[in-house]
Amino acid sequence: MSVSWQDEIRWTDDGLVPVIAQQAETGKVLMFAWMNRESLDLTVSEGYAVYWSRSRGRLWRKGEESGNRQKILGIFLDCDEDVILLKIEQEGGIACHTGRESCFYRSLVNGQWQTVEPVLKDPEAIYRKS
C-alpha cells in the first residue's frame, strides 16, 4: 500500500493542520485557519477552500454565507510538513468576517493594537441572521 500525500503532513494530536490563505496575485496574507483530512480532501476536489471550524465543530466552506469564496490556485506544504499555505483568489475581495480584505488588520504601534485596514463592507450586510 502506498503512502497517501496526506500521510506526509504532520497533523496535530487532534487531527488538524494550520493553514495560511495568501492572495496569490499580491502575496498578502489574508487569514489563518485549520483543516482536517476531510476538509483538505474537499478543498482539493472542489477547488475552493474548506476549513475545519473549531468553534463550530464542523466543516466550513469559506464564503458559505458571505459568498466570498476562496478559489484555490496552489497548495503548498512547509519544510517541517506541519503548515499548509493556500495560494488563493479571494472572491469578493473580503476574507475577514469583519468586512475587511484581511483578518490581519491590526498592527502593533507604540505598544497598542491599531486598526490599519478599512472595513470594505458592513458585516451586517454580508451575513445572514441565524
Side-chain angles (χ1 to χ4, degrees), residues 31-43:
M31 59 176 274
F32 167 86
W34 296 91
M35 285 186 174
N36 62 12
R37 286 177 180 263
E38 183 181 7
S39 63
L40 183 54
D41 271 342
L42 288 168
T43 295

Side-chain angles (χ1 to χ4, degrees), residues 16 34 52-58 60:
L16 301 174
W34 296 91
W52 175 257
S53 173
R54 295 182 309 163
S55 61
R56 298 177 186 122
R58 67 171 176 83
W60 161 49

Side-chain angles (χ1 to χ4, degrees), residues 36-114:
N36 62 12
R37 286 177 180 263
E38 183 181 7
S39 63
L40 183 54
D41 271 342
L42 288 168
T43 295
V44 170
S45 66
E46 295 177 6
Y48 287 88
V50 180
Y51 298 108
W52 175 257
S53 173
R54 295 182 309 163
S55 61
R56 298 177 186 122
R58 67 171 176 83
L59 293 174
W60 161 49
R61 284 175 169 77
K62 178 66 176 155
E64 64 190 14
E65 288 185 36
S66 67
N68 296 323
R69 300 188 312 164
Q70 294 177 339
K71 183 177 183 181
I72 304 300
L73 302 181
I75 301 175
F76 300 84
L77 184 62
D78 80 324
C79 59
D80 292 327
E81 302 171 334
D82 61 359
V83 178
I84 289 178
L85 173 68
L86 300 179
K87 293 202 177 191
I88 57 121
E89 178 184 312
Q90 179 63 56
E91 295 181 354
I94 296 172
C96 185
H97 74 281
T98 65
R100 293 175 173 86
E101 177 187 18
S102 171
C103 294
F104 298 96
Y105 62 89
R106 290 181 280 192
S107 178
L108 188 61
V109 179
N110 296 322
Q112 295 186 334
W113 293 110
Q114 295 192 4

